[in-house]
Amino acid sequence: MQTNWTQLRPVLWEAIGTSIYLVLLTFVVGGVLGLILGTALHATRRGGLLANAPLHLLLNVVVNVVRPIPFVILLAALGPVTLQVIGTTIGTDAAAFVMIVAASFGIARIVEQNLVTVDPGVIEAARSMGAGPLRIIATLLIPEALGPLVLGYTFVVIAIVDMSAMAGTVGGGGLGDFALVYGYQRFDWQVTLVATLIIVAGVQGVQFAGNYLARKFLRR
């Protein structure tokens, strides 16, 4: 079967643009929400800056429930919520909503785990000098864990790229949808291969950039 790239090229560029949109939107919104949730998990734990056992238990349970759910199942499980928020359960915006939810809870656990590595003695020193919890979090806790956090976020971006590829199952568009509709369903393996190579190249670029930034922050 001869692939008609003259016809498919505009569709491919549109798919690339949709994938970039999904990944960036999910990374920015999910990254902020995940940072807030992960910091809250760390701060409310026993001995934390804002220790609150009931709240920590609630946050911990919610994260543990949502985070392990496979993305394809989460797409279906959040259908009623997606319908209420977005107005539809199919399309790019619907897929983006579920991706943001999945990314937020995944990032939250990564943030919490990296914040735990910060030396408690440094935090106690700041508290003894009268610094408030929010100030310690913003000016000490997060900056001290910045290098590991960058690596953690890099890992998450790769997972988001993976989710964006699966967004095609709900008509979310992007390279996953392009590979499925124009490659797999038409038995055109050249299309599938091209879409796969573009995704792999994007992931490699993100990984190299993340490693570079992490080394910069760790050498501070």
Side-chain angles (χ1 to χ4, degrees), residues 4-218:
N4 187 350
W5 284 109
T6 302
Q7 181 183 6
L8 289 180
R9 193 172 291 111
V11 183
L12 174 60
W13 282 113
E14 182 180 355
I16 293 172
T18 301
S19 288
I20 292 173
Y21 166 75
L22 284 169
V23 171
L24 287 180
L25 179 64
T26 302
F27 178 71
V28 172
V29 179
V32 172
L33 294 176
L35 180 64
I36 294 171
L37 183 55
T39 303
L41 276 166
H42 179 271
T44 56
R45 64 194 298 151
R46 182 183 300 177
L49 292 167
L50 298 168
N52 185 321
L55 179 57
H56 179 75
L57 177 62
L58 175 62
L59 294 175
N60 202 44
V61 169
V62 172
V63 171
N64 284 341
V65 168
V66 177
R67 192 171 66 97
I69 300 176
F71 181 67
V72 173
I73 296 176
L74 192 64
L75 281 168
L78 288 182
V81 180
T82 306
L83 185 61
Q84 290 295 317
V85 176
I86 306 298
T88 179
T89 57
I90 60 174
T92 303
D93 291 336
F97 174 75
V98 182
M99 287 173 64
I100 288 170
V101 172
S104 298
F105 286 98
I107 290 171
R109 188 61 77 193
I110 289 175
V111 169
E112 181 198 20
Q113 290 171 349
N114 282 302
L115 293 182
V116 169
T117 63
V118 176
D119 184 2
V122 177
I123 297 174
E124 286 304 317
R127 295 177 79 169
S128 67
M129 290 187 289
L134 295 181
R135 183 178 179 183
I136 293 174
I137 290 171
T139 63
L140 178 64
L141 187 62
I142 293 176
E144 281 293 317
L146 206 50
L149 281 174
V150 169
L151 288 176
Y153 270 74
T154 301
F155 172 80
V156 170
V157 173
I158 296 171
I160 292 173
V161 171
D162 183 42
M163 286 191 288
S164 73
M166 288 187 283
T169 59
V170 293
L175 287 167
D177 185 63
F178 177 78
L180 182 67
V181 174
Y182 296 96
Y184 179 76
Q185 292 180 357
R186 297 184 181 184
F187 301 101
D188 191 334
W189 309 120
Q190 188 179 127
V191 169
T192 304
L193 177 61
V194 168
T196 302
L197 290 175
I198 292 173
I199 292 173
V200 170
V203 167
Q204 290 298 318
V206 169
Q207 187 68 64
F208 285 134
N211 290 343
Y212 173 78
L213 289 174
R215 285 196 299 269
K216 285 286 187 181
F217 288 121
L218 287 170

